[in-house]
C-alpha cells in the first residue's frame, strides 16, 4: 500500500523512473529512483536534507549520483509519505529537474485516497 503510492509519484515525475525495472523486482520497503538525465542525485539528497529537513537515501555503488531512495516501511502513514514526496519534488526541481511541481504528490494522494488503508 505505502510503496504503491510512492511508485505512482515516481511515474508522474518526467525523466524519473524506478530502478526496479518491473513489478517483480519492486520492493515494499524502499523505492530507488533514477534522477533525470543531467540531474545529480547527490544534489537532490543534499537539497532535501539541507533545505527541507528530509532524509533521502543515496544510490549505492553504481547508482551513486544517479539515484536516490525513499523508504516506506515502519511506523508511517500516507501523509508522512506525501511530505517526503513533496520534499523530494522540491529538491528535484532545485537540482534542475524539469518536473511539474506537485505532480508526484498529487498522484500519490489520489492513490491513497482511493485505495484506503
Amino acid at each position: 500500500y505505502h510503496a504503491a503510492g510512492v511508485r505512482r509519484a515516481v511515474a508522474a515525475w518526467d525523466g524519473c523512473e524506478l530502478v526496479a525495472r518491473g513489478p517483480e523486482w519492486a520492493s515494499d520497503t524502499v523505492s530507488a529512483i533514477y534522477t533525470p538525465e543531467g540531474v545529480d542525485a547527490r544534489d537532490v539528497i543534499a537539497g532535501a536534507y539541507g533545505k527541507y529537513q528530509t532524509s533521502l537515501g543515496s544510490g549505492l555503488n553504481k547508482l551513486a549520483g544517479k539515484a536516490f531512495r525513499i523508504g516506506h516501511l515502519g511506523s508511517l502513514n500516507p501523509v508522512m509519505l506525501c511530505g517526503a514526496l513533496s520534499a523530494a519534488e522540491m529538491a528535484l526541481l532545485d537540482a534542475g529537474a524539469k518536473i511539474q511541481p506537485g505532480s508526484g504528490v498529487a498522484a500519490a494522494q489520489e492513490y491513497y485516497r482511493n485505495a484506503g488503508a
Side-chain angles (χ1 to χ4, degrees):
Y1 170 72
H2 290 123
V6 172
R7 291 181 197 127
R8 300 295 193 299
V10 175
W13 292 333
D14 291 333
C16 292
E17 62 182 297
L18 292 169
V19 172
R21 297 291 185 184
E24 69 275 16
W25 301 106
S27 170
D28 288 333
T29 60
V30 66
S31 290
I33 302 147
Y34 282 117
T35 54
E37 187 71 34
V39 175
D40 192 320
R42 292 169 287 214
D43 293 336
V44 175
I45 295 162
Y49 186 77
K51 194 171 180 182
Y52 305 115
Q53 297 79 50
T54 301
S55 294
L56 301 174
S58 63
L60 305 174
N61 199 358
K62 294 178 184 178
L63 297 179
K66 297 178 183 177
F68 65 95
R69 295 176 293 131
I70 295 177
H72 32 74
L73 76 158
S75 180
L76 70 135
N77 62 46
V79 173
M80 293 169 156
L81 281 170
C82 286
L85 292 167
S86 178
E89 278 188 6
M90 291 187 290
L92 279 161
L93 288 161
D94 293 344
K98 305 294 185 218
I99 62 172
Q100 181 65 39
S103 60
V105 174
Q109 287 173 328
E110 194 64 19
Y111 172 78
Y112 292 134
R113 285 182 57 243
N114 292 312

